[in-house]
Amino acid sequence: MGSNMAECHPVGFQWVMEARLKGATVIHVDPRFARTSANASFHVPIRAGSDIAFMGGIIHYICERDAIFRDYVVAYTNAATILQDDFKDTEDLDGLFSGWDPEKHSYDPGSWQYKDVEMHPSAGQREAPGPSAGADRFGGHGGLLAHGDPPHRDPTLQHPRCVYQILKRHYQRYTPELVEETCGVPRALFLKVAQALVDNSGPDRTSSFVYSVGWTQHTVGVQYIRTASIIQLLLGNIGRPGGGILALRGHASIQGSTDIPTLYDILPGYIPMPHAHEHPSLDEFVGRNAARTGGWGRMKPYLVSLLKAWWGEHARPDNDFAFSYLPRISGDHSAYQSALDMLDGKVKGYFLFGENPAVGSANSRLHRMALAGLDWLVVRDLVEIESAAFWYASPEIESGELSTTDIKTEVFLLPAAAHTEKDGSFTNTQRLLQWHHAAVEPRGDARSDLWFTYHLGRIIREKLKGSAEPRDRPVLELTWDYPLKGEHGEPSAEAVLKEVNGVDAQGKPVSGFLELKDDGSTACGCWIYSGSFRDGVNQTARRKPGREQTWVAPEWGWAWPANRRLLYNRASADPQGRPWSERKRYVFWDPQKRRWTGEDVPDFTPDKPPDYEPPADATGDAALRGTSPFIMQADGQGWLFTPAGLKDGPLPTHYEPHESPVGNPLYGQQSNPTRQLYRRALNSYNENGAAERYPFVMTTYRLTEHHTAGGMSRFLPVLCELQPEMFCEVSPELARLRGLTNGGWATISSARAAIEARVLVTERVKPLTVRGRAIHQVGLPYHWGYRGISRGDAANDLFPLALDPNVHIQEVKAATCDIRPGRRRR
Amino acid sequence: MAVVSGPPPYPDTRVAQPRPGQAVGFFTDSSICIGCKACEVACKEWNHVPTDGFNFLGSSYDNTGELGANTWRHVTFAERPAAPGGGDGQMRWLMNSDVCKHCASAACLEVCPTGALMRTEFATVVVQEDVCNGCGYCVPACPFGVIDRREEDGRAFKCTLCYDRLKGGMQPACAQACPTQSIQFGPIEELRTRARRRLEQLRQEGRKEARLYGVDGSDNEVGGLHAFFLLMDEPGVYRLPTRPATTTRDLPAMWKAAAAAAGALAAGVLLAFAGKGR
Amino acid sequence: MSSSQGPFLKAPVWKPEIGAYLFSGGLAGASAVLAFVARSRGNHRLARRALLTAAAGAAVSPPLLISDLGRPERFHHMLRVFKVTSPMSVGTWLLSGFGAAIGVAAASEVLGVLRPVGLAAEGAAALLGPGLATYTAVLLTDTAVPAWHQAHRELPFVFAGSAAASAGAAAAILTPAEAAGPARRLAVLGAVGELAAAAAMKRRLGALAQPYEREPVRRLDRMAQSLSITGAAILGLLGRRRPAAALGGALVLAGSICQRFAIFRAGFDSARPR
């Protein structure tokens, strides 16, 4: 679901094909019958934006039949935990939870807590009351966690206020009939999916979910994934081989780019970024963000080691380990907010590394206008992408909305080396780091990002040398001494990896994050990657063939953390530490050796026995029981119900996309109440009143032949041949309705813009019957822009900025449009 | 052992390396093709095949159109209704990587007047580009419409089954690139055995629409194909002819007719002088 | 449903030069036979003109063929092999042999030297002539093109008739009327044979004869019929007068050319129906 894996990850999809050949059932749920559907066991057509209703239906199905994996659920999830008395569900408040503040436009999660326990998110900042509300509301997840075990539980799962009963009640109206009415999925087909899942889960069998941006790119994106988590926890599929929820990541190391982040609100290893006003000292920061119990209890050693890695000898106990040198966030600095700030003249300069917002970001037109508001722009890429050419070649230039002579932005276009021309690592879905070696030298002036960043820093430091300004010290005192090689002075990527791995007081590589200390004797660039260079060997470069090792293949590459291939694998054994079944044996307790053992690195304290009971004053990992596999949660449990950490509710709820032709069938609350909207000129919305103007659902997706915003594919003849033009996919019914001809032109319009595309009429897109009406969907590949060999209009021009409130991801998988025959007017 | 693991049951990628002089070929199993077109790209990259035009054809995801001088692997797409007796009204999207068939009895080779088209030691059919003078006779001779003349160049071009890679002990570029091993390369006899096993497996799974195309001479008149296929529908759905034939199989009759006509011409001339003589 | 579509076959890549060669080769081959028989009957005026016509046809044929090659400079590669399975290979050798013989014969006739050699060469050319006139049918039918391949029993007779008609018509134009009697008769015989064989061919082709009912082939085909019939009638009935013979001959020639191109173009349409 939420993924077209064969299309977007064809090489990875070979493993799915292999599984099918071994007899696995593969189900593809997607608005279109796509290349994945063609190779699945069967396809389920679904209205874009209704996945929570679908999965909620599965939860309903499981609960109604009591088809849960009971032993797993009772022991490993918070199903038995009893909630506070004043919690109100969406069933009570017509689509809202208790604690909604319409003025602040946010929830106070106070009423969502466990009875008599103050819970906080697993990591990150809790909602701070008082003066720091407002801009400081933003930031990563973090907060102080209280003691492990909740005081009130009902292991029989009968108590009316226990999580399991609340869950059942929350989804009581998500019947197969409702799924058919809301999602357009025929009852029988839905039931086939639900039954298949139930039949293939339990002690002997596991099922897995695979998703990508078809789930995340919604205003309820995070809740989509949460719904799948609930299903998988109820069926006992988490932490077990063949189970889990896989987020497909790996294009351009996108997993790596959140691990060692390019995100504004987190530090390496998902430590939250400090706020300007919230965290005057290191200990206060740790106090507010670390957990007293569970895996995040060790935040201080991770953070101190990070500071030592960055500032070396200048990070000392007496200066808080240079904690004040860390940049601070003061609000929302996400990509979309930054673009809006550019429009308003608040952001002067911009670096774009391998990113093409003029085509790839939601409301790409707005982004092109935003770039025109910069003083300077540095673009590093393989070709002159649209974002570098906006000042002379965009549709806005063509229409006269922007004029080259009036744009004051100074654009620097610098050639970048390709991945074959530099050393480095990619991190993928499996948290697997795989090293790649430069095969050839980059040509001409092309240089790697590592080279650029290092030498930019070097030059800045040279210019600042001798400065007495306090604000220059963080730059001057950085450790910036990587060995350089070759005629261009390419920094050694392996040296960077060594720094990321971490070293002890003697400068020797540490073996893992458990060796990191909070006294400044260790340094480590990213605690979750610690171990990737253990024993002085680049573990990520290992390539032992699969047939020469166990089926887990631990000697191919290196997975974080600690080369653990399957997280939470304590859950693959029962509370007594025995495998749930011989067939699914993975990690289990060896009573003779008194250690956890098995196929993989145990995700558990190696010598903590299954019957371990924590003493009352225990902290950190010691506060978790021997039967608590979810060690990053304060209570060690898988959270069916999320008492803290998410802005839009403790239970996933079906909300309509911000732009939808359909009224919410379940609640008066139409869409996610906490979704982020930006009401301004370039971002008008099709609010419900104008439903007739834009009556169709539109969705974006990829094609195998092209890559993201086109910089790596639309400039190559061999790929342009395969998909030479921007096109839209429509059903024969919609084509008849609007007079579209196959191979002809169409203009697709939304409340923001209009684009043109060739027409592909196909039965793979079907109108779905939703609430008694035929809902038509228009499919739009999003790869095209105005440069390259193959040029076309950008699909993202049509979509609004409407973001998920937790992670600020844009909703480009469902919005509304109209479509008419003919080319766009110029 | 606890978990279902081990090497894949099919296709076994560890195929025997062809011995020198052993006949090789392709078995393209369209039932596991995901339509990614890596084969088209790998072929073009390795063989430096020029672009074949940027044309949006509006035929499903196929903008390549057909095989030709500048396209040696071509993925076809067919959106089809559910197979008879098949899965709750689910439509099918059939994909297949088409290629030169390297026929056992190759019409292109037989009609080539310069001897440019030849059979290699691997039993593949290859154009010797230093001999071909672009007469174009092979073009209408091929019953599959594979080979063509390259406009700018003048000579005929087609898939070489990566003859240069074979000589280097490597497999063809398309087979190497295919992520699902839909394109399988190896000694032809081994491929035939494997294909028949695969067909049996599919039949047992109830997929009665599966069939082999060109695995031997039983469904064609070209003596069997060295690049044969497993199809999930009628050949015509994949743009393949139903019963392709090597045109030269009728050549004896053709020469006979020509001889008779030549005789008739001579007789006619004689007749024109009959009677009045002069 | 949206799918990959289109015919399986490739249309021939040959240019109109090949269609022209079908005509010139046939004209040359049949003229050589006409010349030889006329010579043997003592009709030297007819023999001379038929001989020179054959030589002219033989002279223009190689340039037509070579210019159609993708790599004309490599024309001699045709002589690397002799393959019975390749009508083009057989034809190359036929044309080469014929060309040599007719060249010698024509030179001897014009220059008046080496007459025994010249006469022997005329005999050799006459021996090869019928083959030259009919092998081109095999050239076309030995392909996968349905309208050609399935016509392989009749097409050689169409070409033989067409060659005879052209040879007779050309000679009738060039030769004084009192000596051109056999030429006129040959032209009529050839035209009748050509049209009869073509009708038989289309009948057997059945549905595959569709291209002959579509433009541009249809017009060429109809013109071939009307020109040949009219020309043959004029030649037959009024051919004793030189002007009528010239007109009749010209019409028959035109009809023959149209017939060749109709069949040639029909192949393109058959491989790639529009």
Side-chain angles (χ1 to χ4, degrees):
Chain A
M1 290 184 74
S3 165
N4 186 4
M5 189 178 181
E7 189 93 38
C8 307
H9 299 267
V11 178
F13 195 74
Q14 67 181 289
W15 312 122
V16 178
M17 292 300 286
E18 208 174 285
R20 272 214 71 197
L21 289 165
K22 284 183 175 179
T25 302
V26 175
I27 302 171
H28 189 221
V29 183
D30 196 286
R32 297 175 307 139
F33 189 100
R35 271 184 263 221
T36 305
S37 326
N39 290 281
S41 307
F42 61 95
H43 170 245
V44 177
I46 190 173
R47 174 171 67 101
S50 63
D51 298 47
I52 292 179
F54 187 87
M55 287 191 284
I58 295 178
I59 296 172
H60 171 96
Y61 181 92
I62 295 169
C63 292
E64 203 185 36
R65 283 159 187 69
D66 200 28
I68 62 173
F69 186 166
R70 184 162 280 261
D71 292 340
Y72 182 107
V73 170
V74 171
Y76 296 160
T77 75
N78 66 358
T81 306
I82 294 171
L83 300 177
Q84 269 177 218
D85 296 329
D86 58 351
F87 170 71
K88 295 254 182 297
D89 181 71
T90 52
E91 291 294 279
D92 306 309
L93 302 178
D94 199 21
L96 291 171
F97 293 96
S98 46
W100 175 244
D101 183 335
E103 272 152 38
K104 288 205 195 132
H105 215 67
S106 66
Y107 280 108
D108 175 354
S111 62
W112 305 348
Q113 305 305 308
Y114 297 163
K115 192 169 168 68
D116 295 337
V117 172
E118 195 192 352
M119 291 303 293
H120 297 276
S122 60
Q125 184 178 47
R126 63 166 182 228
E127 296 300 317
S132 55
D136 291 6
R137 279 191 294 125
F138 299 94
H141 22 270
L144 181 63
L145 291 124
H147 178 74
D149 270 352
H152 301 283
R153 297 180 78 238
D154 174 16
T156 68
L157 307 185
Q158 297 294 318
H159 190 288
R161 301 207 66 74
C162 79
V163 163
Y164 185 61
Q165 294 297 332
I166 301 269
L167 183 78
K168 279 182 82 163
R169 188 163 165 269
H170 180 83
Y171 291 108
Q172 69 183 349
R173 288 189 294 144
Y174 288 63
T175 60
E177 289 70 37
L178 179 102
V179 171
E180 178 159 355
E181 192 194 331
T182 308
C183 310
V185 175
R187 265 197 84 212
L189 197 51
F190 162 75
L191 288 169
K192 185 174 175 184
V193 175
Q195 191 58 47
L197 251 184
V198 166
D199 285 346
N200 201 63
S201 306
D204 282 309
R205 305 198 70 85
T206 53
S207 308
S208 63
F209 276 70
V210 169
Y211 77 91
S212 309
V213 294
W215 270 5
T216 62
Q217 288 177 349
H218 290 276
T219 46
V220 281
V222 170
Q223 296 292 352
Y224 271 41
I225 301 154
R226 272 275 301 137
T227 327
S229 312
I230 293 173
I231 293 174
Q232 293 294 67
L233 284 171
L234 290 175
L235 295 175
N237 279 327
I238 304 278
R240 303 184 59 212
I245 303 170
L246 293 155
L248 296 181
R249 317 188 78 190
H251 289 159
S253 194
I254 191 165
Q255 176 65 44
S257 79
T258 49
D259 296 340
I260 303 197
T262 53
L263 300 184
Y264 78 96
D265 55 350
I266 49 177
L267 290 169
Y270 301 97
I271 299 172
M273 192 70 111
H275 277 197
H277 311 303
E278 286 287 313
H279 307 118
S281 79
L282 176 67
D283 284 328
E284 272 182 81
F285 174 83
V286 169
R288 294 178 77 125
N289 287 287
R292 292 229 331 271
T293 56
W296 275 116
R298 299 193 73 244
M299 189 179 285
K300 188 168 181 190
Y302 307 153
L303 181 55
V304 169
S305 301
L306 177 67
L307 296 168
K308 285 297 288 183
W310 287 0
W311 283 287
E313 57 185 5
H314 300 286
R316 302 179 304 273
D318 63 294
N319 71 355
D320 236 9
F321 294 105
F323 177 70
S324 63
Y325 283 4
L326 279 175
R328 299 290 197 269
I329 54 175
S330 58
D332 180 354
H333 308 290
S334 64
Y336 289 109
Q337 185 59 50
S338 300
L340 295 170
D341 289 342
M342 279 178 222
L343 275 176
D344 298 337
K346 293 191 211 156
V347 172
K348 305 294 182 188
Y350 203 28
F351 284 91
L352 282 179
F353 283 22
E355 175 86 12
N356 194 7
V359 168
S361 293
N363 202 342
S364 31
R365 211 174 91 74
L366 182 150
H367 287 271
R368 297 194 291 272
M369 303 291 284
L371 293 174
L374 291 166
D375 288 355
W376 54 267
L377 170 68
V378 176
V379 178
R380 277 182 42 83
D381 214 301
L382 307 174
V383 292
E384 191 189 28
I385 53 172
E386 285 78 5
S387 300
F390 75 93
W391 55 277
Y392 72 91
S394 61
E396 290 70 39
I397 297 286
E398 196 183 288
S399 69
E401 207 172 341
L402 288 176
S403 104
T404 305
T405 43
D406 292 340
I407 294 174
K408 295 190 171 37
T409 317
E410 191 173 359
V411 179
F412 299 84
L413 175 62
L414 301 172
H419 70 280
T420 45
E421 297 168 335
K422 51 190 182 181
D423 291 341
S425 67
F426 286 141
T427 310
N428 72 4
T429 297
Q430 217 196 325
R431 304 173 318 284
L432 186 69
L433 282 72
Q434 298 180 90
W435 195 256
H436 61 87
H437 303 272
V440 290
E441 287 294 305
R443 287 195 296 184
D445 292 331
R447 300 283 183 273
S448 67
D449 297 324
L450 183 56
W451 180 96
F452 178 84
T453 318
Y454 171 80
H455 287 284
L456 182 66
R458 174 184 62 76
I459 294 168
I460 289 173
R461 282 153 56 90
E462 277 165 19
K463 286 187 185 297
L464 294 178
K465 197 182 264 197
S467 162
E469 296 278 350
R471 68 153 187 257
D472 294 333
R473 294 233 307 281
V475 176
L476 287 169
E477 293 182 4
L478 280 169
T479 60
W480 207 249
D481 51 352
Y482 303 94
L484 307 178
K485 49 183 183 156
E487 54 171 314
H488 300 303
E490 176 78 14
S492 160
E494 273 205 344
V496 176
L497 185 64
K498 273 195 202 131
E499 180 186 81
V500 162
N501 176 77
V503 291
D504 61 16
Q506 285 74 45
K508 283 185 19 271
V510 297
S511 302
F513 55 81
L514 291 174
E515 290 180 28
L516 298 178
K517 312 244 188 305
D518 63 4
D519 59 5
S521 59
T522 58
C524 171
C526 180
W527 69 278
I528 54 176
Y529 279 32
S530 183
S532 57
F533 221 102
R534 60 178 295 157
D535 307 323
V537 171
N538 183 347
Q539 306 286 332
T540 72
R542 298 179 304 165
R543 290 289 185 278
K544 190 173 201 174
R547 58 180 167 272
E548 292 174 25
Q549 46 177 326
T550 70
W551 64 279
V552 169
E555 290 179 71
W556 178 286
W558 185 88
W560 69 260
N563 204 24
R564 188 171 289 132
R565 300 296 165 125
L566 210 155
L567 290 182
Y568 308 122
N569 54 38
R570 165 71 182 89
S572 66
D574 65 15
Q576 287 74 42
R578 299 168 310 214
W580 289 109
S581 70
E582 195 49 34
R583 191 170 181 277
K584 291 286 174 177
R585 191 178 74 153
Y586 196 69
V587 161
F588 48 92
W589 176 250
D590 182 336
Q592 265 77 50
K593 298 212 185 85
R594 296 205 53 80
R595 288 189 79 76
W596 290 94
T597 183
E599 310 290 334
D600 194 359
V601 177
D603 196 4
F604 212 60
T605 310
D607 54 0
K608 182 193 283 188
D611 55 5
Y612 171 82
E613 291 277 344
D617 60 345
T619 61
D621 182 68
L624 296 183
R625 304 169 151 274
T627 54
S628 295
F630 295 96
I631 56 175
M632 300 310 285
Q633 305 295 91
D635 54 359
Q637 309 262 280
W639 283 3
L640 296 168
F641 181 98
T642 321
L646 295 180
K647 295 206 170 72
D648 41 7
L651 288 170
T653 306
H654 171 71
Y655 292 121
E656 289 289 326
H658 178 68
E659 287 195 352
S660 168
V662 171
N664 193 323
L666 282 153
Y667 317 101
Q669 179 61 34
Q670 167 78 359
S671 303
N672 184 346
T674 61
R675 67 198 183 286
Q676 278 182 279
L677 302 174
Y678 302 89
R679 294 180 193 285
R680 51 186 300 160
L682 287 166
N683 195 45
S684 351
Y685 296 113
N686 175 20
E687 316 274 17
N688 270 351
E692 300 79 42
R693 282 195 65 199
Y694 304 109
F696 310 124
V697 172
M698 62 176 177
T699 188
T700 55
Y701 46 83
R702 296 173 203 239
L703 302 166
T704 310
E705 297 87 343
H706 282 294
H707 192 59
T708 59
M712 290 178 76
S713 65
R714 278 184 296 103
F715 293 74
L716 292 175
V718 68
L719 294 177
C720 290
E721 272 195 79
L722 302 177
Q723 293 283 12
E725 293 203 46
M726 169 60 182
F727 64 97
C728 61
E729 292 188 288
V730 295
S731 65
E733 293 86 346
L734 180 56
R736 263 197 299 280
L737 184 67
R738 276 290 189 260
L740 308 169
T741 48
N742 187 53
W745 284 95
T747 298
I748 305 105
S749 58
S750 73
R752 291 152 294 282
I755 64 165
E756 63 181 16
R758 301 294 293 273
V759 175
L760 189 65
V761 179
T762 169
E763 296 196 26
R764 293 178 291 101
V765 178
K766 286 184 173 11
L768 300 172
T769 306
V770 174
R771 301 196 79 184
R773 308 178 4 227
I775 297 292
H776 293 281
Q777 305 191 96
V778 176
L780 300 166
Y782 80 94
H783 304 291
W784 272 271
Y786 43 88
R787 307 308 294 153
I789 296 170
S790 176
R791 302 179 179 184
D793 283 349
N796 277 319
D797 279 10
L798 297 173
F799 286 81
L801 291 190
L803 313 182
D804 174 294
N806 298 295
V807 291
H808 322 294
I809 292 292
Q810 68 279 14
E811 185 162 67
V812 286
K813 293 305 178 192
T816 54
C817 71
D818 191 12
I819 183 167
R820 301 278 169 174
R823 299 195 69 161
R824 159 167 75 85
R825 265 194 334 227
R826 264 129 174 108
Chain B
M1 196 43 246
V3 181
V4 176
S5 64
Y10 170 83
D12 182 354
T13 54
R14 272 169 291 158
V15 79
Q17 262 301 107
R19 291 188 310 278
Q22 193 177 21
V24 300
F26 285 132
F27 165 43
T28 303
D29 181 355
S30 72
S31 73
I32 54 176
C33 174
I34 60 174
C36 71
K37 306 179 190 172
C39 50
E40 292 197 37
V41 175
C43 171
K44 288 225 173 188
E45 296 276 283
W46 178 263
N47 293 296
H48 292 182
V49 178
T51 59
D52 213 356
F54 305 111
N55 306 301
F56 179 77
L57 299 179
S59 322
S60 193
Y61 277 9
D62 180 358
N63 294 303
T64 301
E66 57 187 301
L67 292 169
N70 291 342
T71 294
W72 300 355
R73 269 276 178 192
H74 163 223
V75 181
T76 57
F77 292 80
E79 298 172 22
R80 302 285 294 156
D88 8 81
Q90 292 264 313
M91 67 174 288
R92 295 171 302 147
W93 199 6
L94 303 175
M95 301 165 195
N96 180 49
S97 179
D98 196 12
V99 71
C100 169
K101 318 301 181 284
H102 294 270
C103 308
S105 164
C108 61
L109 188 157
E110 307 216 335
V111 303
C112 175
T114 61
L117 275 154
M118 62 162 221
R119 178 101 37 200
T120 68
E121 65 269 35
F122 298 102
T124 57
V125 178
V126 154
V127 184
Q128 297 171 85
E129 300 300 350
D130 52 344
V131 175
C132 175
N133 64 7
C135 77
Y137 199 15
C138 51
V139 177
C142 174
F144 302 97
V146 169
I147 191 166
D148 206 354
R149 205 165 63 178
R150 193 174 280 175
E151 277 308 302
E152 332 73 65
D153 184 284
R155 296 171 292 177
F157 287 87
K158 70 171 194 69
C159 163
T160 63
L161 227 141
C162 282
Y163 190 26
D164 49 353
R165 289 174 68 99
L166 299 193
K167 281 189 183 274
M170 300 157 70
Q171 58 174 333
C174 55
Q176 174 103 11
C178 178
T180 58
Q181 284 95 54
S182 170
I183 299 174
Q184 297 165 44
F185 164 78
I188 190 80
E189 281 316 314
E190 206 176 300
L191 291 178
R192 286 180 174 142
T193 310
R194 182 192 289 188
R196 292 190 171 104
R197 241 199 336 252
R198 173 67 179 149
L199 180 68
E200 193 45 48
Q201 179 190 30
L202 284 168
R203 290 272 166 79
Q204 272 168 17
E205 287 172 18
R207 301 179 68 186
K208 300 200 178 34
E209 67 279 13
R211 73 204 69 196
L212 292 174
Y213 181 83
V215 68
D216 54 27
S218 60
D219 62 343
N220 60 77
E221 318 252 357
V222 298
L225 312 176
H226 284 239
F228 64 96
F229 300 83
L230 187 146
L231 304 178
M232 302 301 285
D233 207 321
E234 297 285 321
V237 168
Y238 294 90
R239 279 188 90 250
L240 292 167
T242 312
R243 209 175 165 85
T246 316
T247 172
T248 46
R249 124 204 107 125
D250 292 323
L251 202 49
M254 293 177 189
W255 284 129
K256 278 208 202 84
L265 173 59
V269 175
L270 287 169
L271 193 59
F273 284 85
K276 300 201 197 136
R278 298 173 57 80
Chain C
M1 289 213 161
S2 181
S3 296
S4 299
Q5 48 201 297
F8 321 125
L9 302 174
K10 292 261 187 291
V13 295
W14 295 323
K15 299 201 291 286
E17 280 81 330
I18 301 300
Y21 166 69
L22 297 178
F23 171 76
S24 67
L27 175 67
S31 295
V33 181
L34 179 61
F36 179 78
V37 177
R39 184 82 71 196
S40 68
R41 299 297 172 94
N43 187 343
H44 295 284
R45 283 185 296 175
L46 178 55
R48 179 186 175 86
R49 281 149 181 88
L51 169 61
L52 294 178
T53 305
V60 309
S61 292
L64 285 172
L65 292 174
I66 291 173
S67 71
D68 188 68
L69 290 175
R71 289 289 180 101
E73 71 279 9
R74 291 185 178 183
F75 72 92
H76 57 284
H77 286 194
M78 295 295 203
L79 301 169
R80 290 176 82 244
V81 299
F82 175 75
K83 275 167 78 167
V84 177
T85 57
S86 172
M88 194 180 280
S89 175
V90 171
T92 301
W93 289 100
L94 261 175
L95 182 62
S96 303
F98 181 90
I102 207 74
V104 168
S108 170
E109 166 78 22
V110 166
L111 299 174
V113 298
L114 293 174
R115 288 312 285 141
V117 178
L119 290 166
E122 276 181 39
L127 217 53
L128 295 173
L132 186 67
T134 53
Y135 95 89
T136 45
V138 183
L139 180 75
L140 295 188
T141 59
D142 192 17
T143 61
V145 178
W148 287 348
H149 187 96
Q150 298 305 329
H152 64 85
R153 292 168 198 76
E154 292 87 12
L155 197 64
F157 291 93
V158 179
F159 279 20
S162 190
S166 324
I173 294 171
L174 297 170
T175 312
E178 57 288 5
R184 290 196 298 276
R185 276 193 287 280
L186 184 63
V188 173
L189 268 171
V192 169
E194 177 184 11
L195 293 172
M201 174 185 81
K202 284 175 213 158
R203 209 168 33 244
R204 181 197 290 277
L205 282 174
L208 293 176
Q210 279 286 319
Y212 293 99
E213 301 307 314
R214 287 195 286 259
E215 300 302 339
V217 179
R218 188 170 178 279
R219 180 173 320 190
L220 283 167
D221 192 51
R222 301 298 184 265
M223 273 173 57
Q225 287 165 9
S226 39
L227 288 167
S228 294
I229 290 171
T230 314
I234 292 174
L235 269 179
L237 300 171
L238 306 169
R240 272 178 232 276
R241 296 185 201 290
R242 195 67 187 273
L247 176 64
L251 291 175
V252 168
L253 278 174
S256 176
I257 291 173
C258 285
Q259 180 69 259
R260 303 294 195 159
F261 274 97
I263 292 169
F264 183 63
R265 291 245 36 108
F268 287 72
D269 189 302
S270 174
R272 285 279 161 141
R274 260 160 298 148

